[in-house]
Amino acid sequence: TRYMDPQFYWGAATASYQVEGGIENNDWAEAARQGKVPVAGRATDHYNRFQEDFSLARQLGHNAHRFSIEWSRIEPEKGQFDEAAIAHYREVIAALRARGMEPVVTLWHWTLPQWVVDAGGWDSEDTAGYLRRYCERVVEEYKDEVRLWVILNEPQYWVAHAYVKGVFPPAERNIVHALTAFLHLAEAHKSVYARLKSLYPDLQFGAVESMGWIEPAVGRWMLQWFRNFAFPFLVRRHIDFMGVNYYRLWRIGKKDAPGPHASDMGWDIYPQGLGRVLKSAARWIRKPLYITENGLADARDEKRAEFIRAHIAEMLKAKKEGIDIRGYFHWSLLDNFEWDSGFWPRFGLVEVDYRTKERTVRPSAEIYKDIIKRSIISN
């Protein structure tokens, strides 16, 4: 088994449906065919260009990379596992290892195979069993090369957008279904963790949730806790680490236009919130932390360098104060398909021409590289 020595991981993140292209057998592809969400199509063609993309990441100083495996590729039909897809992701992992980069693998990043949806999706308690079988097969395949596994990505955030806002498939606005899906996700995570940990005790299994800082102060504590920690708190005894995805300040009850410190999507930039969220996560979760996503939509690349510098400064300050933080992953390595917003938001350290698929490293990516060089950390 070839694992890198324990160290601080610097890198970026992607997710299968957002970058790979050619995924036609999941809930998002079906929703796109029905005109309910934008079409992802070839996306960035990362499925075919991962070697090129990982070479860029390595040149930019990254020693780790977080990506997700597409369930609908691995198990396109119930109980039928695709050996070609399994071989593909083995090549992806090998490409990272060959470049001295630690793979951090997400097993579920929001998309479901269409057959799972037809069987009830997260409304059904049966989905936990399907997820457990899929996760067990994937981890068994790659257990010798992957040490860090994320079971679920942002389940609470996904539920809010799928069943409350109704903008992610299945695009319902149903509080009862929202609560049902939330509880099924929590039980699924616990079930998967228990099974995987019993089989592979030397591997690390965690969860990732979206966390933000909330203003104004009135009622903030309760809102803050529920928004950030409802799911992590439920599964805190069933994780080896917690991934924190931090993007923004949330203004509750204010309809003002975003200020000058906002991303192209109008998300208020507030680096201090990251330090505060990390301290709260350390208190509530009591497990090692990774910043698994942190970034902004910035097509002109005018704010990204300062965004990275300021957020990493907050992270390093929290680490010096004793919080167990073990990695930072910028979102994203590449411009990509931003779910219900389509392709216009530009989150990448690397710009993608969607017509030619040509990659161009943005100046902010070089700044991040310099920050990594100057911020050597050992646990």
Side-chain angles (χ1 to χ4, degrees):
T1 301
R2 298 184 294 117
Y3 295 148
M4 295 174 70
D5 292 334
Q7 60 179 306
F8 194 89
Y9 294 124
W10 295 100
T14 59
S16 57
Y17 193 68
Q18 295 182 263
V19 294
E20 286 184 354
I23 298 170
E24 297 295 338
N25 199 21
N26 70 16
D27 51 347
W28 277 82
E30 180 60 28
R33 283 189 287 271
Q34 295 175 15
K36 295 178 180 178
V37 296
V39 175
R42 287 177 62 206
T44 73
D45 198 29
H46 178 72
Y47 191 83
N48 296 307
R49 295 171 182 251
F50 64 90
Q51 298 274 5
E52 170 191 356
D53 294 336
F54 294 161
S55 290
L56 285 174
R58 185 63 232 176
Q59 291 164 21
L60 291 169
H62 301 189
N63 66 3
H65 180 73
R66 177 182 172 226
F67 70 97
S68 75
I69 287 177
E70 178 62 30
W71 185 356
S72 68
R73 289 195 192 275
I74 297 290
E75 192 181 4
E77 300 295 337
K78 183 179 179 179
Q80 297 179 16
F81 292 91
D82 188 313
E83 294 298 333
I86 290 169
H88 170 80
Y89 287 111
R90 183 169 285 111
E91 289 182 20
V92 170
I93 293 163
L96 289 169
R97 287 285 177 205
R99 290 161 176 79
M101 297 169 69
E102 184 80 5
V104 180
V105 177
T106 303
L107 290 160
W108 180 77
H109 198 123
W110 293 359
T111 58
L112 288 174
Q114 190 55 43
W115 66 265
V116 177
V117 177
D118 294 341
W122 287 114
D123 283 344
S124 170
E125 60 186 11
D126 293 339
T127 300
Y130 301 144
L131 181 76
R132 186 170 60 248
R133 180 179 60 193
Y134 152 73
C135 291
E136 189 174 333
R137 177 62 183 268
V138 170
V139 176
E140 172 59 29
E141 291 286 349
Y142 311 128
K143 64 182 184 299
D144 292 334
E145 295 298 326
V146 178
R147 183 175 66 94
L148 293 166
W149 298 88
V150 174
I151 297 172
L152 299 177
N153 177 77
E154 297 185 342
Q156 186 171 323
Y157 187 87
W158 177 82
V159 166
H161 284 72
Y163 288 101
V164 181
K165 291 187 175 182
V167 294
F168 291 179
E172 296 182 23
R173 292 186 178 182
N174 187 312
I175 294 299
V176 173
H177 286 187
L179 182 60
T180 300
F182 177 82
L183 294 175
H184 285 164
L185 280 156
E187 289 308 308
H189 173 93
K190 293 176 184 179
S191 170
V192 171
Y193 177 83
R195 181 63 176 159
L196 294 178
K197 201 66 182 175
S198 70
L199 292 171
Y200 315 105
D202 294 335
L203 303 184
Q204 298 284 295
F205 301 99
V208 164
E209 192 50 80
S210 170
M211 301 182 188
W213 188 255
I214 292 177
E215 296 288 356
V218 177
R220 182 174 63 202
W221 188 91
M222 187 176 296
L223 285 169
Q224 195 92 359
W225 190 93
F226 186 79
R227 167 69 178 74
N228 292 338
F229 300 119
F231 185 87
F233 190 75
L234 276 181
V235 302
R236 69 194 184 284
R237 294 189 179 91
H238 305 270
I239 53 174
D240 300 314
F241 66 88
M242 188 71 213
V244 174
N245 291 354
Y246 179 87
Y247 287 93
R248 62 183 295 190
L249 170 71
W250 293 84
R251 297 185 186 275
I252 304 299
K254 279 197 168 186
K255 301 298 183 182
D256 300 344
H261 301 294
S263 73
D264 292 350
M265 295 184 77
W267 296 358
D268 282 305
I269 299 168
Y270 187 61
Q272 297 91 329
L274 175 59
R276 294 173 176 177
V277 163
L278 288 169
K279 291 172 187 175
S280 295
R283 183 167 67 251
W284 286 109
I285 311 304
R286 299 182 182 274
K287 292 291 171 71
L289 303 175
Y290 292 82
I291 297 170
T292 37
E293 293 178 26
N294 177 234
L296 79 166
D298 181 20
R300 293 178 297 279
D301 203 41
E302 294 173 344
K303 300 177 180 179
R304 188 172 287 104
E306 175 58 21
F307 180 101
I308 293 170
R309 187 205 64 74
H311 284 80
I312 288 177
E314 287 291 329
M315 176 193 72
L316 295 178
K317 182 180 175 184
K319 188 168 175 66
K320 287 177 182 175
E321 292 175 5
I323 294 175
D324 186 0
I325 306 166
R326 300 187 180 185
Y328 174 90
F329 295 85
H330 188 76
W331 184 273
S332 175
L333 177 61
L334 304 162
D335 286 340
N336 56 56
F337 176 79
E338 183 52 31
W339 303 109
D340 58 312
S341 297
F343 285 104
W344 74 262
R346 298 285 186 150
F347 277 88
L349 294 168
V350 177
E351 181 181 356
V352 176
D353 182 323
Y354 288 118
R355 185 177 58 84
T356 66
K357 308 304 181 198
E358 181 182 359
R359 275 75 164 138
T360 305
V361 173
R362 289 192 165 105
S364 58
E366 300 288 355
I367 300 296
Y368 181 33
K369 178 181 179 178
D370 291 341
I371 292 170
I372 293 170
K373 282 183 178 178
R374 295 198 307 269
S375 303
I376 303 302
I377 307 175
S378 60
N379 286 335

